[in-house]
Amino acid sequence: MKMLKILAVASLVWLTGCATTGVPGGPSASSANTESGLPSPGSQLPSGPLRPITAAKAGSGEVASLYAPSDLWDRIRRGFAMPDLQGDLVTDREQWYATRPDYMQRMTERSSKYLFHIVEELERRGMPTELALLPYIESAFNPQAVSSARAVGMWQFMPATGSDFDLKQNAFRDDRRDVLASTRAALDYLQKLYGMFGDWHLALAAYNWGQGNVGRAIARNEKLGLGTSYTELTMPAETRMYVPKLQAVKNIVARPEAFNTELPLIENHPFFQVVDITRDIDVALVASLAGIRESDFRALNPSLHKPVILAAGMPQILLPWDNAQVFRKNLEAHSEGQYASWTVWTAPTNLTVAAAAQRVGMAEADLRSVNGIPPRMMIKAGSALMVPRATTTRQDVSSQLADNGQVAFTPEIVTRRTTVRAGKRETVASIARRYKVTADNVADWNDVKANASFKAGQAVVMYLPVRLAATSTARVPAASVRNTSTAAKQQAAPRNAKQPAVTRKGGTPSKVKKR
């Protein structure tokens, strides 16, 4: 027993010596700990305030700083992990942004609703936090932004790429605008591109220009024995400026005082909460129960097209943090009237807008407005239209319709009054067959019976369809124009029109974005 005590004391002395003497010629463990910000062996607690470790640091095994970020900008700066790009293009963009303080102020204030969520997602995935600044370049953080090439939302997704990343685009919502869904899709896409190219600058070039284009540019340089970095590839001007723009914004965020810029305070906490929706409910009612303006609700839920939320397709909404609980309490207490005053009706056949409005009990102008029906168009069979919900309706819109409902149109047929000459032994029925109209219409237009015959050479009044593309309605006397659903069904397919040139977001030719 005595021997064991001696061995224990000897071991303790040996360990103490290891902790204090350190490596010969190097700093002691105590000084190393002090320099790294860790507590010394003799202390039990650090001298400064504690801060929670981030998800990214926890996942990577890194040691987190002991000091909490003062605001969200500070948190973003701490997560910068991409190599810096330098050069004249970066300097040029720095000056451009720095000399537009009003624009920077509007843009950064708009981002305050969404930035915390994006930073959280980036840290959770272990991605560089510079990417949280990318919507400044893409859309100025406007979720309603639409480019001339039909890229949509904060992250500017093209229709096809949005579908590839499961962003629903239907008659009721466009998830390319949705804050949560589009952020998830954009980060998924960026991670995929980084995995392909192994370089964040090339991944960003592919996000703007398309992965195929970047891949081909790399292959060309390799064939010529040239370098394959971002600055060495031949690419369109927009893509060439893309990373310099992001670098310029990063530099301003990193050192705003160096550019005589003041960033608006964005607190390091969530702006919104996710709230579950279990029944179809009007947007106006949600805003009222939450105590916010409808415009503020739509700023957080920009994917919505219509005045109603279809729970089967959008089971969650976003509300400002403090208003979310207000909404929940008021929704529990709500007992007057319906939750939704709108529902979805599927057109059974091709219909004129007037005919459809009559069937659903709406004014034609209202049906056009709420469903975005353009002039001189008919509603195609199977279209999902937003219509008033009867007070007796209890069933909400199905998930199949809420997720996949579309509205399609076909041009109306304008008919022009004309006369044709009857041949020998010509009848109402034979003329109707010749011009592909009904015998009843021919009889009605000529005030004769449906089984009547015409004399050879007799003038027969007809109302025949005229293509809108080839005929200006201004040249057709109002009294001689009719719109008929019967004629519309008989219209031939329109000629193939030459597609307009694709333009980029600024309105100049050669839009390069392929996503």
Side-chain angles (χ1 to χ4, degrees), residues 114-194:
Y114 319 112
L115 205 52
F116 180 89
H117 171 73
I118 296 172
V119 173
E120 286 274 296
E121 284 298 296
L122 287 169
E123 289 184 346
R124 185 178 65 81
R125 295 168 181 243
M127 298 172 71
T129 53
E130 292 99 319
L131 297 173
L133 309 176
L134 193 59
Y136 289 123
I137 312 306
E138 286 289 342
S139 63
F141 260 103
N142 179 6
Q144 296 293 356
V146 181
S147 79
S148 58
R150 295 194 303 149
V152 165
M154 281 193 302
W155 297 96
Q156 290 287 281
F157 272 96
M158 297 290 283
T161 311
S163 296
D164 289 343
F165 285 88
D166 198 29
L167 297 178
K168 294 284 185 181
Q169 301 157 61
N170 57 42
F172 315 113
R173 73 181 200 273
D174 187 343
D175 284 348
R176 293 178 297 163
R177 292 185 171 94
D178 185 86
V179 176
L180 303 187
S182 69
T183 298
R184 184 266 308 159
L187 301 192
D188 284 350
Y189 191 24
L190 286 164
Q191 281 186 311
K192 174 186 174 181
L193 294 172
Y194 180 72

Side-chain angles (χ1 to χ4, degrees), residues 64 105 184 203 214 246 290-291 296 310 361 367 458:
Q105 187 74 13
R184 184 266 308 159
V214 172
L246 181 62
D296 293 331
L310 304 180
L367 184 64
Q458 181 179 345

Side-chain angles (χ1 to χ4, degrees), residues 246-492:
L246 181 62
Q247 183 69 53
V249 173
K250 172 183 175 180
N251 292 346
I252 292 171
V253 169
R255 297 180 296 113
E257 67 285 350
F259 300 93
N260 197 28
T261 299
E262 185 175 347
L263 300 174
L265 176 65
I266 303 180
E267 300 283 359
N268 186 26
H269 59 66
F271 183 89
F272 56 76
Q273 284 191 51
V274 176
V275 178
D276 293 333
I277 294 294
T278 58
R279 297 182 58 181
D280 293 357
I281 185 169
D282 289 344
V283 170
L285 179 59
V286 172
S288 175
L289 295 178
I292 60 175
R293 297 175 300 179
E294 189 171 327
S295 59
D296 293 331
F297 174 82
R298 290 191 178 276
L300 287 178
N301 301 272
S303 64
L304 284 169
H305 283 169
K306 303 301 179 189
V308 67
I309 302 163
L310 304 180
M314 192 173 178
Q316 293 182 325
I317 59 172
L318 305 183
L319 290 174
W321 187 268
D322 293 334
N323 299 91
Q325 189 59 27
V326 173
F327 170 76
R328 292 187 185 100
K329 290 181 178 178
N330 287 338
L331 183 64
E332 289 177 3
H334 181 74
S335 59
E336 298 179 5
Q338 294 177 303
Y339 288 93
S341 55
W342 298 90
T343 189
V344 178
W345 175 74
T346 303
T349 185
N350 286 10
L351 291 169
T352 63
V353 180
Q358 186 176 19
R359 290 200 184 196
V360 300
M362 290 181 73
E364 181 179 343
D366 292 340
L367 184 64
R368 284 187 183 277
S369 176
V370 76
N371 291 285
I373 304 173
R376 297 184 297 278
M377 286 290 175
M378 293 181 63
I379 300 161
K380 291 188 74 171
S383 291
L385 299 175
M386 190 66 63
V387 300
R389 177 169 169 160
T391 55
T392 55
T393 301
R394 293 291 176 265
Q395 187 174 0
D396 288 336
V397 176
S398 68
S399 58
Q400 172 65 22
L401 200 52
D403 269 339
N404 302 293
Q406 300 287 349
V407 179
F409 309 111
T410 186
E412 280 184 344
I413 296 303
V414 173
T415 58
R416 175 181 288 175
R417 185 185 188 278
T418 189
T419 57
V420 298
R421 297 294 174 180
K424 291 182 180 180
R425 294 184 294 278
E426 195 85 85
T427 65
V428 168
S430 66
I431 287 183
R433 285 193 299 272
R434 193 200 318 171
Y435 291 99
K436 295 182 174 62
V437 296
T438 67
D440 287 340
N441 277 345
V442 175
D444 179 53
W445 296 334
N446 293 275
D447 198 21
V448 297
K449 293 183 180 179
N451 59 356
S453 299
F454 296 107
K455 295 176 182 178
Q458 181 179 345
V460 180
V461 175
M462 300 289 290
Y463 285 87
L464 299 179
V466 179
R467 295 182 192 275
L468 286 175
T471 305
S472 169
T473 55
R475 297 199 302 265
V476 182
S480 66
V481 176
R482 294 184 182 182
N483 294 329
T484 64
S485 59
T486 301
K489 296 176 188 176
Q490 299 161 351
Q491 181 194 28

Side-chain angles (χ1 to χ4, degrees), residues 199 201-202 218 221 226-233 235 240:
D199 178 280
H201 292 167
L202 293 178
I218 290 173
N221 276 26
L226 302 174
T228 58
S229 69
Y230 176 83
T231 56
E232 294 171 300
L233 297 182
M235 56 183 67
R240 171 65 60 210

